[in-house]
Amino acid sequence: DTGVSQDPRHKITKRGQNVTFRCDPISEHNRLYWYRQTLGQGPEFLTYFQNEAQLEKSRLLSDRFSAERPKGSFSTLEIQRTEQGDSAMYLCASSAGTGSRNEQFFGPGTRLTVL
Amino acid sequence: DAKTTQPPSMDCAEGRAANLPCNHSTISGNEYVYWYRQIHSQGPQYIIHGLKNNETNEMASLIITEDRKSSTLILPHATLRDTAVYYCIVLLRANDYKLSFGAGTTVTVRA
C-alpha cells in the first residue's frame, strides 16, 4: 500500500459550479478525516468518519459541503455552488484509530481554485 | 484543547541539532503534546507525541518540562530535507481525531 491518495490533485472551476473530490485511505484504516488549508495557514479540521459513520463536522462545513464514505473505504467531498472563498487545499487523512499513536497519515491534497 | 505558541520561523545549520520550542501554559493534565510537520506541497506528517515523559523515536526527541507548560522538539542532525513547517498541537487523547494545527514554525535548514 502506497499511502493515502487523492484525486484530482488540482481542480479549477468557475464560481457556482459543483465539484467532487475523492480520497482513498490506507487499507484497513477505519478512520478518515478531511481538512482544509488556505495559503499560509495550517490545516483546519472539517469532518471525520469512523468506518462509514460521519461522527463530527466542523462549523466550517457549511450546507454547501457534503462528505460521504459509503462503504467505509474511500470518501468523497462535494462542494456545491462553489464560491471564491472555497479556494484552498483539501487534505484527506486516515488512521487506524487504535494504538497509542493513532497518527494520521495525510494524502497530497487536492488544490481547488474557484475563478 | 490548550493553545500553543511557537516562534514563526527559525534557521538551522545542516548537521546540527534543531531545537523547536512550544509553549502550552494552559495544558491540562490529560492533554497530549503532538508534533507534525509539513514539507512544501505535501500533506502533514506525524513526528512524535508525549504526555509527561520525554520521548524519542527514529525522527526526533520530545522534551516536556516538568510542569508541562512547554516542550521542545529536537531534530538531532538536521538535513536539508527537514526544511518544513513544524506544528505543535495539544489535545485530549479523546479528541485526537481533530488536529488543530495553528501557524507552526517554519524551519529552514541551510547548507
Side-chain angles (χ1 to χ4, degrees), chain A residues 33 37 56 99-100 102 104, chain B residues 36 38 49 93 96-98:
Chain A
Y33 315 81
Q37 184 172 25
E56 182 156 334
S100 63
N102 192 32
Q104 295 186 23
Chain B
Y36 277 73
Q38 187 172 23
H49 80 284
R93 184 69 171 86
D96 67 2
Y97 59 88
K98 52 179 179 180

Side-chain angles (χ1 to χ4, degrees), chain A residues 9 31 33 35 37 41-43 45 48 56 91 99-104 106-108, chain B residues 34 36 38 41-46 49 57-58 87 93 96-99 101-103:
Chain A
R9 294 292 306 276
R31 289 190 178 185
Y33 315 81
Y35 291 82
Q37 184 172 25
Q41 304 298 315
F45 170 80
Y48 105 99
E56 182 156 334
L91 293 160
S100 63
R101 280 168 49 154
N102 192 32
E103 64 180 281
Q104 295 186 23
F106 283 79
Chain B
Y34 282 76
Y36 277 73
Q38 187 172 23
S41 297
Q42 297 183 20
Q45 175 191 25
Y46 168 88
H49 80 284
N57 64 18
E58 65 278 5
Y87 298 99
R93 184 69 171 86
D96 67 2
Y97 59 88
K98 52 179 179 180
L99 302 173
F101 283 86

